[in-house]
Amino acid sequence: MFDNKENTDLEKIGEFGLIDLLSKSIELTESSTVKGIGDDAAVMNYGDNQTLISTDLLLEGVHFDLRYVPLKHLGYKAVQVNLSDIYAMNGIASQITFSIGLSSKFPLEAVEEIYAGAILACKKFNVDLVGGDTSASKQGLIISVTSIGYVNDLDITYRDGAQEGDLICVSGDLGGAYVGLQLLEREKQIFLENPNIQPDLEGKDYIIERQLKPEARKDIIHLFKDIGIKPSAMIDVSDGLASEVLHICKQSKKGCKLYEDKIPIDQMTFDTAREFGLDPTICALSGGEDYELLFTVKQADYDKIKGDVDISIIGYITEENAGCNLISKAGNMHPIKAQGWNAFS
Amino acid sequence: MFDNKENTDLEKIGEFGLIDLLSKSIELTESSTVKGIGDDAAVMNYGDNQTLISTDLLLEGVHFDLRYVPLKHLGYKAVQVNLSDIYAMNGIASQITFSIGLSSKFPLEAVEEIYAGAILACKKFNVDLVGGDTSASKQGLIISVTSIGYVNDLDITYRDGAQEGDLICVSGDLGGAYVGLQLLEREKQIFLENPNIQPDLEGKDYIIERQLKPEARKDIIHLFKDIGIKPSAMIDVSDGLASEVLHICKQSKKGCKLYEDKIPIDQMTFDTAREFGLDPTICALSGGEDYELLFTVKQADYDKIKGDVDISIIGYITEENAGCNLISKAGNMHPIKAQGWNAFS
């Protein structure tokens, strides 16, 4: 069916390359469309507020491994990951659709577990599950979530609004989800080699939860309202700090300086990364799946956020030509690269 | 992971059973949610208009067979199928998100073909493609489409509004997509047995197109506006006439009488069904994938629709206790059953 002589390997262009390429062929003509592809969520104008929409596809063997992910956690995480994109627009999520494809090897109770997790996440975040599609699958478990939210005109926050001098901030801590995954992978290998050995996850609850049961940061959106801040740019940390800060800089046409010693890393994340021979900073920069919010604010807002223990100021925005750099603990400057995750390799 | 003693086979409860069961655990609490699961699309109130959302998951080997579905047609059909749900609410589709999961065996050009079909459908129907997700897949090709639309309060049409005495109408003709599929399946088998034999689809363009390239009936929604009709109930024909008319009757708490000789079946559909030893009426009742609109109107509206060659009046709504029946060409009465499609068998 494919003409071989003109074919291009997907591995070569990667996920972002593919998105860029496909985006070029898309024209927007509907008057209610405010923003299409290129941010955490699309924006539509249907009335007083802007309507937001975001969608994710989660595939067995790619995004999750049923050998260690409990089904209820999977449903919960699938919703969280998607709501996170709405919050990253400074919006409030209001509805989701939740679709699953699954083979008949799954009993009804398995489906109910997945939905129970999804519904738990919805309840916790005051979101309605309003639709979806269920389908037989010959191809393992597939989950597709779309969320809808709203935000008023003045509050909406894109990736492209960062200004020179703005402070770069991040909520919570980073790298935990990635280190938690390493731990789960190690225990899976041990179990595969000897099923009699019980998994040794004792005392590692925090990083395991960061991987299996992330919490989208709706609380930060409420905090912004309470303390009177509107970020100049924002994105959620799904692919890793490096990838996300580069998105903000590229779209804002700016550069940045990040300080390694300011990057918030939990002690358990740090220690466990070391156990695995991993650099904790690299885990934060390239690990991903933390679903924290990375955002920029005007320097004048410094006093409003400096006292919040849940927000770290990790650097500042520079002019574009200065590039995107990390200042190491030793004081050396390194260009930031998106190791990223090439979905097709 | 599953506790075997309490497990229930998905095959036993079927897709609709599963949806019913899952729906029971879902509460709606958001003030902007007007209607959740249970119609063609969910309804949300964000301003002057009602916002509609619908989503579909299409899986290789279940919903399509890449051995005879051209990729561009696949992208086109995936969009049409989803827009059809918005039109079935008497709404106008305005945006879609389009997600694909695919393995790296697909070259970039294949992805571009799929998107080209999706974008063509969007252009033709004045819909913006505003987002999506692309992912690696170990599980064949996966497409997930979500569409957003709008409709004003007075025009919105649910499945549950049919009244006793209302006329049951359907757009276009039925059964063609199913008979087209039989033809493609036959040619595939012949090709698998002897790759030197060219497919014999000569003169069968119409039913092949009904299967590979269906057109959602936006034109009918405009027609309603032009002639001043608001249907009392409406649904799109995705699973087959029998299944859809039962949805309207069940949700409206009514019965119906359909007349076999009034069901619109194209001559080519009829003749080809006969070639395959199939009853053309059964193809219309249980075949599905026609993406026509099935709707009910007040008898007083008869004069407004009687002259439209693209609309057939096929029966009328009765009281609930009379049941749902088909009057055969011979004058016999048969209860209508949803043969349906059990997604898990």
Side-chain angles (χ1 to χ4, degrees), chain B residues 172-304:
Chain B
D173 55 73
L174 301 176
Y178 181 75
V179 177
L181 181 63
Q182 304 315 307
L183 204 59
L184 289 164
E185 285 283 350
R186 182 185 70 187
E187 295 305 315
K188 181 184 81 180
Q189 286 308 326
I190 293 171
F191 178 80
L192 289 175
E193 283 158 27
N194 185 348
N196 294 320
I197 298 180
Q198 286 296 309
D200 177 21
L201 302 172
E202 180 94 13
K204 300 289 191 184
D205 298 18
Y206 180 69
I207 55 175
I208 298 294
E209 285 222 346
R210 292 294 284 174
Q211 170 56 227
L212 293 183
K213 199 165 169 290
E215 301 282 320
R217 299 308 304 259
K218 182 184 184 183
D219 59 328
I220 299 290
I221 306 309
H222 286 304
L223 175 73
F224 289 151
K225 296 245 183 333
D226 292 347
I227 61 178
I229 275 190
K230 193 218 144 175
S232 47
M234 186 152 58
I235 189 171
D236 73 326
V237 182
S238 52
D239 294 328
L241 175 60
S243 174
E244 317 308 357
V245 81
L246 289 176
H247 276 303
I248 284 183
C249 289
K250 187 181 172 193
Q251 295 200 25
S252 300
K253 299 190 173 67
K254 295 287 180 292
C256 72
K257 261 190 188 156
L258 292 190
Y259 292 86
E260 185 184 7
D261 62 349
K262 302 290 186 195
I263 297 173
I265 298 176
D266 179 80
Q267 191 63 45
M268 190 190 296
T269 302
F270 191 93
D271 295 344
T272 314
R274 288 292 191 209
E275 275 179 44
F276 278 94
L278 297 167
D279 179 341
T281 301
I282 301 290
C283 295
L285 284 168
S286 303
E289 290 205 275
D290 291 311
Y291 301 104
E292 296 295 342
L293 293 171
L294 178 72
F295 56 97
T296 57
V297 298
K298 293 190 293 283
Q299 286 190 26
D301 287 330
Y302 174 70
D303 283 339
K304 295 181 185 170

Side-chain angles (χ1 to χ4, degrees), chain A residues 263-320:
Chain A
I263 297 173
I265 297 176
D266 178 80
Q267 191 64 44
M268 190 190 296
T269 302
F270 191 93
D271 295 343
T272 314
R274 288 293 192 206
E275 276 179 43
F276 278 94
L278 296 168
D279 180 341
T281 301
I282 300 291
C283 294
L285 284 169
S286 302
E289 291 205 276
D290 292 311
Y291 300 105
E292 296 294 340
L293 293 171
L294 178 73
F295 56 95
T296 57
V297 298
K298 292 191 293 285
Q299 285 190 25
D301 288 329
Y302 174 72
D303 283 338
K304 295 181 186 169
I305 53 165
K306 69 175 182 192
D308 197 292
V309 293
D310 212 20
I311 292 178
S312 304
I313 301 169
I314 59 173
Y316 61 91
I317 297 291
T318 64
E319 54 132 356
E320 190 172 15

Side-chain angles (χ1 to χ4, degrees), chain A residues 6-47:
Chain A
E6 290 180 30
N7 286 347
T8 309
D9 270 358
L10 284 178
E11 290 181 19
K12 275 189 202 147
I13 60 167
E15 188 190 8
F16 295 135
L18 178 60
I19 293 171
D20 276 354
L21 205 143
L22 295 172
S23 301
K24 280 181 194 144
S25 53
I26 292 170
E27 282 172 61
L28 302 179
T29 57
E30 258 294 301
S31 60
S32 60
T33 306
V34 179
K35 170 89 185 176
I37 292 171
D39 216 296
D40 296 278
V43 182
M44 299 159 297
N45 184 357
Y46 285 126

Side-chain angles (χ1 to χ4, degrees), chain A residues 115-128:
Chain A
Y115 266 84
I119 291 168
L120 181 65
C122 285
K123 275 198 180 146
K124 193 160 173 186
F125 284 74
N126 282 31
V127 165
D128 285 345

Side-chain angles (χ1 to χ4, degrees), chain A residues 134-152:
Chain A
T134 57
S135 173
S137 161
K138 296 186 174 172
Q139 306 138 311
L141 183 59
I142 293 155
I143 298 179
S144 176
V145 185
T146 299
S147 54
I148 311 276
Y150 56 90
V151 55
N152 78 43

